[in-house]
Amino acid sequence: MAFFNGGSRALVEILTRFQSAERPMPVDHTFFEFGSVRYHVQASASDPENVYLLISTPSLSHEASPSTGLPEFTLQEARKMYHKFAEIVEPSKEGYALTLKLNFSGLTRPKDRAKAVRQVSLLQSVVLGSQLKHLLGSLGSSGATKLVYNHRDPFFVSRTPGKIKAIFPMRFRDDTDIAVATSFFQELQDAGNSYAKAPKCSWSAIPPPELRGESVQHLTTNGGFVSFDIFERHVKRKRAAKTAWILLNFQAYVKYHIKCTRNYIQSRMRKRQESLAEVIQNARLRGGDDKKKSQVRKKSKRRLFSLGKAKKLQKGFRAVIDGIKRLRLRIRVKALDRFRRCFVVPKLATKKHNYLRLGA
């Protein structure tokens, strides 16, 4: 993945370690970045103040650049950038486009040395940015120029009256990436049109008219074509290098954004799946508990039913006993009481007779 700030982290680490060493140490490192950019850092223990930095980077356009070495405008840009602590060694070593002789002894403060190391790490962006800035300023009025920063993803620039148009054919491997990229390009188009200072962005599934006459292999894409309208204010002074570096890394940024978006979607899907699995597991556990509870409820219902049935039988038995008791009682006629109240029967008076016993 490209470093979108334009700096080489490996180069910063090597130079920082070399400066912070207590004793002079020899350095001889060769490493690659972005697949086609080669660095070589060399320093000897006998001359620790001078560090030689060599870089080899392909040209953006073989038609606009000389066959050997870097163009003069690129060398002038490098001299302007590093004149305080570096000088260009000419001719450069075979196999490398540029050689810088670095000397940080004039920078006494550690803060200044760290700043100088960061500026050196931007050497690739300075070289490529100066080439693109020169190409944007020297484009013809007709046709498009093919630029190759990454051999897999070339792009085109063309000049129209009053503006420069950068066209990026977008290619993706997976169908999921195409869907995410399409949504991203539509949002990018809406956002670019809503800001007056931002370059106007457009996306189309078919090649724009500026690419008429190009080979079919360059126009075969599955993600469409993204175009930016660059005006003169975007390539003036310090903005030119920044604009050039953004255009060079636009395709890498899009792929990085799509990869991050896809990982985010997959992580959300995994969390959702885990939450659903947890809900199902809890439901299964609850189902087992509910089954046990239902069994207990059935048993309690049976017990209550048996108790209720016994009570009903007991009540019925009591009713039968009460009926039998009523049959054994004296029968009472209700009309006789009314007759007794109406007619009073007088009581007969009885006298007590005294009898004398006759003697013999």
Side-chain angles (χ1 to χ4, degrees):
M1 181 58 61
F3 302 139
F4 301 115
N5 58 359
S8 173
R9 298 181 182 178
L11 191 58
V12 171
E13 183 179 355
I14 293 172
L15 295 178
T16 303
R17 186 182 303 173
F18 177 77
Q19 290 184 358
S20 60
E22 297 180 357
R23 296 180 181 180
M25 53 181 294
V27 178
D28 192 0
H29 287 287
T30 301
F31 58 96
F32 291 83
E33 285 185 350
F34 314 119
S36 57
V37 181
R38 181 175 59 173
Y39 291 95
H40 182 70
V41 183
Q42 186 177 4
S44 61
S46 59
D47 189 13
E49 294 183 355
N50 295 323
V51 181
Y52 292 90
L53 174 61
L54 297 86
I55 184 173
S56 173
T57 178
S59 178
L60 292 177
S61 177
H62 298 286
E63 294 83 1
S65 300
S67 58
T68 58
L70 293 177
E72 184 62 28
F73 57 84
T74 303
L75 297 178
Q76 292 179 2
E77 192 73 22
R79 291 191 185 98
K80 182 179 179 181
M81 184 77 175
Y82 306 113
H83 69 279
K84 293 183 179 180
F85 52 86
E87 60 181 8
I88 298 176
V89 179
E90 294 182 340
S92 182
K93 187 178 179 180
E94 185 179 358
Y96 292 91
L98 179 64
T99 302
L100 288 180
K101 182 180 179 181
L102 306 175
N103 191 337
F104 301 108
S105 59
L107 305 176
T108 56
R109 297 189 303 175
K111 183 178 180 179
D112 295 337
R113 291 195 174 190
K115 183 179 179 181
V117 170
R118 288 195 300 270
Q119 290 180 355
V120 172
S121 68
L122 299 173
L123 181 59
Q124 183 202 9
S125 63
V126 172
V127 173
L128 297 178
S130 64
Q131 293 183 17
L132 183 57
K133 184 172 66 173
H134 179 74
L135 288 172
L136 294 177
S138 60
L139 287 175
S141 58
S142 61
T145 302
K146 177 185 174 184
L147 302 180
V148 182
Y149 176 56
N150 185 355
H151 65 280
R152 294 180 180 178
D153 300 316
F155 65 100
F156 301 87
V157 291
S158 64
R159 178 181 289 276
T160 57
K163 63 180 179 180
I164 299 171
K165 196 163 190 176
I167 306 169
F168 297 89
M170 306 305 300
R171 300 176 179 87
F172 303 98
R173 297 180 180 179
D174 300 331
D175 295 337
T176 306
D177 295 344
I178 297 174
V180 176
T182 303
S183 177
F184 172 70
F185 293 149
Q186 292 175 354
E187 293 180 0
L188 184 64
Q189 183 175 356
D190 297 338
N193 296 333
S194 60
Y195 294 95
K197 294 184 179 181
K200 185 179 179 181
C201 175
S202 60
W203 174 79
S204 175
I206 60 175
E210 291 81 3
L211 297 184
R212 291 177 181 175
E214 296 292 335
S215 60
V216 178
Q217 61 178 357
H218 295 155
L219 303 181
T220 303
T221 64
N222 56 5
F225 297 83
V226 181
S227 303
F228 291 97
D229 293 338
I230 303 172
F231 298 94
E232 293 182 0
R233 64 176 182 272
H234 297 132
V235 292
K236 281 186 177 181
R237 300 178 183 178
K238 296 182 179 180
R239 293 182 179 179
K242 186 176 181 180
T243 302
W245 189 246
I246 291 174
L247 293 176
L248 291 175
N249 289 274
F250 173 73
Q251 291 168 318
Y253 173 76
V254 169
K255 293 182 178 180
Y256 170 78
H257 174 78
I258 291 173
K259 183 183 293 185
C260 294
T261 304
R262 187 172 179 177
N263 291 337
Y264 174 76
I265 295 173
Q266 291 176 354
S267 64
R268 290 297 298 268
M269 291 176 64
R270 284 194 295 268
K271 289 182 180 179
R272 181 62 176 169
Q273 183 180 2
E274 292 174 359
S275 63
L276 291 176
E278 185 178 357
V279 170
I280 294 172
Q281 187 67 20
N282 294 334
R284 288 178 179 176
L285 295 175
R286 291 175 184 173
D289 296 340
D290 294 341
K291 189 174 182 180
K292 293 179 180 179
K293 291 179 180 179
S294 63
Q295 293 177 357
V296 173
R297 289 174 183 172
K298 287 181 180 179
K299 290 181 180 179
S300 61
K301 286 181 178 179
R302 289 174 184 173
R303 292 176 182 175
L304 293 174
F305 178 76
S306 60
L307 291 174
K309 193 173 182 180
K311 289 181 179 180
K312 287 182 179 180
L313 291 174
Q314 187 177 4
K315 287 182 179 180
F317 181 74
R318 287 179 180 177
V320 173
I321 297 299
D322 293 340
I324 294 172
K325 287 181 179 180
R326 290 191 189 98
L327 290 174
R328 293 179 62 186
L329 291 175
R330 183 179 178 180
I331 299 174
R332 187 176 183 183
V333 181
K334 296 181 180 180
L336 185 60
D337 293 337
R338 188 180 301 172
F339 178 78
R340 286 176 179 176
R341 288 195 299 270
C342 294
F343 298 96
V344 179
V345 179
K347 293 182 179 182
L348 297 175
T350 59
K351 293 182 179 180
K352 188 174 179 182
H353 299 275
N354 296 324
Y355 294 94
L356 296 176
R357 185 175 180 179
L358 299 178

